[in-house]
Amino acid sequence: MVSLAAGFDEPVFGTQLAFRSIMEAISFPGRVLEVVRPQGHPKGWPSSLASGCLTLLDSDVTVWLDHEDPDALNYLKFHTGCRISPRPEDADFAIILDVASAPLHQFKIGTDQYPDRSATLLIACESLTAGAPIDVSGPGIKSTNRMAPNIRNNQFWGIWADNNSLYPLGFDVFFFADNAVLALPRGVSAQPLEV
Amino acid sequence: MDEQFDPDQSANVSRAEWMGVLARASTTSLAELIKSLGELPEFNWLRQPEVGAVMTRGRAGGTGQVFSVGEMSVTRCAVTLTSSPDIVGHAYVQGRDIEKAKSAAICDALLQTNRREEVLRSIIAPLKDEESARHLKARRKAGATKVDFFTMVRAES
């Protein structure tokens, strides 16, 4: 039986609080911010990912999911009214639970005239602080910032270097774990630490 | 063409019907009838009642071009029953009465449980009767003012 979880108790205030966290996260790449929890969220999702979806998605956007979970689809359709696309190249937002098998090269990077027509990837992680540390620099960062999201994909930082070189084109990434968010905007470059 | 029997489809038709009856019901009648169910079941909000406007569409005489008649207030909400959280009761009702939306959503949820017959009998049927009476009255009133035009055969030519 398909079940439907509740969203924010107070949709207006909930999404405003979550938006504040998400905006601050992308303004200060590397900073881990707490996101208000909704009442319920699809099984297997961090609560912050659900908050992010409730805040960022609406009926104007197209979403691609890397998992076919009727609960998650119902949650998104009921609370946000977004369109679901089976093709990653159509997606404005991608919801990714397994970053190792995600088609990272297929997402929209925008066009020279409209660099904003690019995808935003919402990636679920186990932790935002327990992964391999990495130094990031770029707009919003005075010198360098260290972040350590637990990304289960060895190729990720290589792909990120390609994405960063496309600037001002490219996709943007948010990592979500439990009740926290960390952002990686396209303008930020990353240097893995020497071990 | 072969028409396949689809039990879900037939269930949907009657659900559309009862949701329509609840949507058009008068606030006072629904508030009165819902008391006959005794204590209402416990529920959780999936979506708290929100008031909005929808554009209604019409066709002149039921056959002409589609046009926008005007906006009407609609209140919507969704609930789940604590006893069976898989069942979702939805309500989209006319007007801005939050209690009415709540009652309608609970009725919709109960209509998907084994209390269906009871709710159909004690709430939906009386509301339906009331609606037909209302329509009949309006038709009678309009009928009483009907003017039959006829042309007499003209004499020349």
Side-chain angles (χ1 to χ4, degrees), chain A:
Chain A
M1 187 77 192
V2 179
S3 65
L4 182 54
F8 286 118
D9 197 15
E10 298 265 9
V12 174
F13 299 128
T15 46
Q16 282 177 347
L17 278 171
F19 183 79
R20 183 75 216 176
S21 306
I22 290 165
M23 189 179 66
E24 208 158 313
I26 204 158
S27 314
F28 301 100
R31 209 177 271 186
V32 174
L33 281 130
E34 206 175 292
V35 189
V36 59
R37 287 183 199 269
Q39 278 186 303
H41 56 83
K43 278 195 205 80
W45 281 26
S47 73
S48 54
L49 174 58
S51 299
C53 287
L54 296 177
T55 306
L56 299 174
L57 309 184
D58 65 11
S59 53
D60 289 338
V61 302
T62 301
V63 177
W64 177 83
L65 283 87
D66 73 341
H67 52 298
E68 280 190 23
D69 174 10
D71 284 0
L73 289 176
N74 261 354
Y75 189 82
L76 291 177
K77 281 184 195 159
F78 178 78
H79 291 295
T80 72
C82 66
R83 291 187 300 270
I84 307 287
S85 167
R87 287 154 40 94
E89 53 270 44
D90 292 339
D92 302 312
F93 288 87
I95 298 171
I96 297 168
L97 296 190
D98 176 20
V99 69
S101 56
L104 295 174
H105 284 295
Q106 291 179 35
F107 294 113
K108 284 194 290 191
I109 56 167
T111 61
D112 288 325
Q113 289 80 27
Y114 300 99
D116 53 312
R117 292 185 186 169
S118 58
T120 302
L121 315 189
L122 313 177
I123 301 178
C125 295
E126 273 160 36
S127 160
L128 300 181
T129 49
I134 198 152
D135 277 338
V136 290
S137 57
I141 305 168
K142 203 165 186 182
S143 53
T144 60
N145 255 348
R146 187 157 295 177
M147 60 163 82
N150 192 354
I151 305 167
R152 293 176 168 270
N153 181 350
N154 297 333
Q155 262 109 63
F156 183 83
W157 292 114
I159 295 168
W160 184 256
D162 295 346
N163 185 54
N164 179 232
S165 69
L166 297 171
Y167 188 83
L169 306 187
F171 54 78
D172 303 299
V173 173
F174 287 98
F175 297 109
F176 294 96
D178 190 26
N179 67 335
V181 63
L182 173 71
L184 195 59
R186 66 187 79 172
V188 162
S189 60
Q191 303 87 31
L193 300 190
E194 297 297 325
V195 185

Side-chain angles (χ1 to χ4, degrees), chain B residues 11-34:
Chain B
N12 279 341
V13 170
S14 58
R15 188 176 186 198
E17 210 173 302
W18 75 56
M19 288 193 74
V21 170
L22 288 166
R24 295 183 298 266
S26 95
T27 307
T28 42
S29 314
L30 182 56
E32 205 50 52
L33 288 167
I34 196 123

Side-chain angles (χ1 to χ4, degrees), chain B residues 3-55:
Chain B
E3 265 192 65
Q4 276 191 323
F5 176 72
D6 181 354
D8 273 353
Q9 194 60 38
S10 74
N12 279 341
V13 170
S14 58
R15 188 176 186 198
E17 210 173 302
W18 75 56
M19 288 193 74
V21 170
L22 288 166
R24 295 183 298 266
S26 95
T27 307
T28 42
S29 314
L30 182 56
E32 205 50 52
L33 288 167
I34 196 123
K35 287 183 194 153
S36 67
L37 292 182
E39 200 168 323
L40 290 179
E42 274 186 43
F43 67 93
N44 294 311
W45 289 117
L46 214 46
R47 170 150 61 208
Q48 305 243 7
E50 352 177 279
V51 178
V54 297
M55 179 59 79

Side-chain angles (χ1 to χ4, degrees), chain B residues 67-85:
Chain B
F67 68 101
S68 298
V69 180
E71 283 187 332
M72 68 182 289
S73 311
V74 165
T75 307
R76 71 172 182 181
C77 66
V79 300
T80 55
L81 300 180
T82 314
S83 54
S84 39

